[in-house]
Amino acid sequence: MPENFEYGGHRDKLAYPLGVYCYAWPIVATQKAAPLRGYTATKDQLQTRLRRIEGQVRGIQKMVDEDRYCIDVLTQIAAIQAALDKVALGLLDGHARTCVVGAEPEIQDQRTAELMAAVGRLMRRG
Amino acid sequence: MPENFEYGGHRDKLAYPLGVYCYAWPIVATQKAAPLRGYTATKDQLQTRLRRIEGQVRGIQKMVDEDRYCIDVLTQIAAIQAALDKVALGLLDGHARTCVVGAEPEIQDQRTAELMAAVGRLMRRG
Amino acid sequence: MPENFEYGGHRDKLAYPLGVYCYAWPIVATQKAAPLRGYTATKDQLQTRLRRIEGQVRGIQKMVDEDRYCIDVLTQIAAIQAALDKVALGLLDGHARTCVVGAEPEIQDQRTAELMAAVGRLMRRG
Amino acid sequence: MPENFEYGGHRDKLAYPLGVYCYAWPIVATQKAAPLRGYTATKDQLQTRLRRIEGQVRGIQKMVDEDRYCIDVLTQIAAIQAALDKVALGLLDGHARTCVVGAEPEIQDQRTAELMAAVGRLMRRG
């Protein structure tokens, strides 16, 4: 993210190629007026969640090393899936607000198409 | 379960309480006669997959740090979900063969119930 | 939303309370300029898909009546889930374009929150 | 299902081609001794659930006809997905008990593979 990038005003956004400078997270962190709602998270919160998920994946490796009961390992995998779903919903939410609704009208259409393709991949899981 | 079956070093685990010592992976690794099929993986293969998933999660942290486009981050999350689904199916398969079909008749019923509960959690994602 | 936009006969619906009159389908059917893309469908296409899904559900009832192999029944259920996912993505897409991006600025925020809640329910399946 | 088919004793099962005569539901309906647990359902219960799902799909058609709010339609779709998941889990459970655990040893392996393939399709949704 370039310094002095004024995001809320969408100032130099159109100077950049479509889909390159649009981040769900920074606007939320700086947009003081808007209440943080539901899925939306700041960049720091997002990184904290991702580190926790990384720790959960390492935890599963340890469980396998220790020959823990497979059902317990599967329960942990389902928990990671749920945590990843939450992160994904947070990103989708930020993207929808910032990069779709907040985009210049001429690119909203493509941005919506991208959003829906991402939702489809998440529903089918990859 | 054949007699004298060497259960990856866990030979007499079936004497242990239900649901505590039953691992999907070691039996597969040592059961030379049975072809490795579909989802089933050895413990090493499982750990390799889990380390790769751990790396993918760290990759996402890096993407967020570098303010990469959120749709690309979401695509990576969907890829991790797909990789976790594969690991889960491998464990389910091993568990079904070893700890359900291969279990003593008197515990097969509870083992099947556990298996189905795990499938339900995976379908609902946590 | 352009003035004099003929909203499939629902022209002044935007005067109505939030979240009550916003349909993904009619605008798509009449908005001639916009190419129909990916998931978006007209109301007729949507009804055709829903009738086909209804037929698939009846087909499963027949399979159960005829004592067909359960794995084949399960394959049909997965096919219905996939068809429902497609319908859902079509509605989400139409909703995002019409009722979120195309909404008055003061309600876009709540509309986005509703959209994300719907995506979350679909990812968790209910 | 042929008349006089004695299921619980697996009597003439092997006379039939693999995977043709194995139904999750009838054994449950007649196996009086076994308590109905969790996901398992009789054939009648299964048909009742499927008819209810069929009604839900028709309900969605009506909602579209009446131009109901798309988010409400999506909520109904998620409810149908959840109901189908329940039916699928019931079938998987019955199949696992009857057609996998209860099968002759020489076909248990293929039956488990079929079961896992079905779980994979349900997790990926088609």
Side-chain angles (χ1 to χ4, degrees), chain A residues 46-79:
Chain A
L46 185 54
Q47 292 289 35
T48 303
R49 284 185 198 175
L50 288 168
R51 273 193 300 269
R52 195 176 304 142
I53 290 168
E54 189 195 331
Q56 285 175 294
V57 176
R58 266 201 303 269
I60 290 182
Q61 293 169 37
K62 196 157 168 286
M63 289 174 88
V64 171
D65 252 348
E66 296 171 352
D67 289 322
R68 294 277 294 279
Y69 188 43
C70 13
I71 293 294
D72 295 338
V73 179
L74 287 164
T75 301
Q76 279 306 305
I77 292 178

Side-chain angles (χ1 to χ4, degrees), chain C residues 52-71:
Chain C
R52 195 176 305 142
I53 290 168
E54 190 195 331
Q56 285 175 293
V57 176
R58 266 199 303 268
I60 290 182
Q61 293 169 36
K62 196 157 165 289
M63 288 175 88
V64 171
D65 252 348
E66 295 170 354
D67 289 320
R68 295 276 294 279
Y69 188 44
C70 11
I71 293 294

Side-chain angles (χ1 to χ4, degrees), chain A residues 5 7 10-17 21 98 102-104 111:
Chain A
F5 188 81
Y7 202 99
H10 306 290
R11 198 150 48 91
D12 8 38
K13 197 164 50 184
L14 283 184
Y16 295 127
Y21 289 98
T98 310
E104 300 302 316
R111 288 271 168 86

Side-chain angles (χ1 to χ4, degrees), chain C residues 67 69, chain D residues 1-2 5 7 13 16-23 111:
Chain C
D67 289 320
Y69 188 44
Chain D
M1 178 86 120
F5 188 83
Y7 202 98
K13 197 163 51 182
Y16 294 128
L18 172 66
V20 174
Y21 288 98
C22 172
Y23 325 104
R111 287 271 168 86

Side-chain angles (χ1 to χ4, degrees), chain A residues 1 19 23 25 43 47 54 58 61 64 67 69-70 75 81-82 85 95 111 114 121-122 125, chain B residues 10 19 22-23 25 43 47 54 58 61 64 67 69-70 75 81-82 85 95 111 114 121-122 125:
Chain A
M1 178 88 120
Y23 324 105
W25 43 88
K43 193 171 173 173
Q47 292 289 35
E54 189 195 331
R58 266 201 303 269
Q61 293 169 37
V64 171
D67 289 322
Y69 188 43
C70 13
T75 301
Q81 303 265 32
D85 276 354
H95 185 72
R111 288 271 168 86
E114 286 177 348
R121 281 189 295 271
L122 288 166
R125 301 167 150 199
Chain B
H10 307 284
C22 172
Y23 325 104
W25 43 89
K43 193 170 172 173
Q47 293 288 34
E54 190 195 330
R58 267 201 303 269
Q61 293 170 36
V64 171
D67 288 322
Y69 189 43
C70 12
T75 302
Q81 303 262 34
D85 276 355
H95 185 72
R111 287 270 168 85
E114 285 177 348
R121 280 191 294 271
L122 289 165
R125 301 167 151 199

Side-chain angles (χ1 to χ4, degrees), chain C residues 37-115:
Chain C
R37 217 160 342 83
Y39 298 122
T40 312
T42 66
K43 192 170 172 173
D44 274 357
Q45 289 169 334
L46 184 55
Q47 293 288 35
T48 303
R49 285 184 198 177
L50 287 169
R51 273 192 300 270
R52 195 176 305 142
I53 290 168
E54 190 195 331
Q56 285 175 293
V57 176
R58 266 199 303 268
I60 290 182
Q61 293 169 36
K62 196 157 165 289
M63 288 175 88
V64 171
D65 252 348
E66 295 170 354
D67 289 320
R68 295 276 294 279
Y69 188 44
C70 11
I71 293 294
D72 295 338
V73 179
L74 287 164
T75 301
Q76 279 307 303
I77 291 179
I80 296 181
Q81 302 267 31
L84 282 170
D85 276 354
K86 260 195 183 167
V87 167
L89 279 167
L91 289 176
L92 284 171
D93 182 75
H95 185 71
R97 289 172 201 281
T98 311
C99 315
V100 180
V101 172
E104 301 301 315
E106 63 271 27
I107 61 169
Q108 285 186 319
D109 211 57
Q110 180 179 331
R111 288 271 167 84
T112 307
E114 285 177 348
L115 180 74

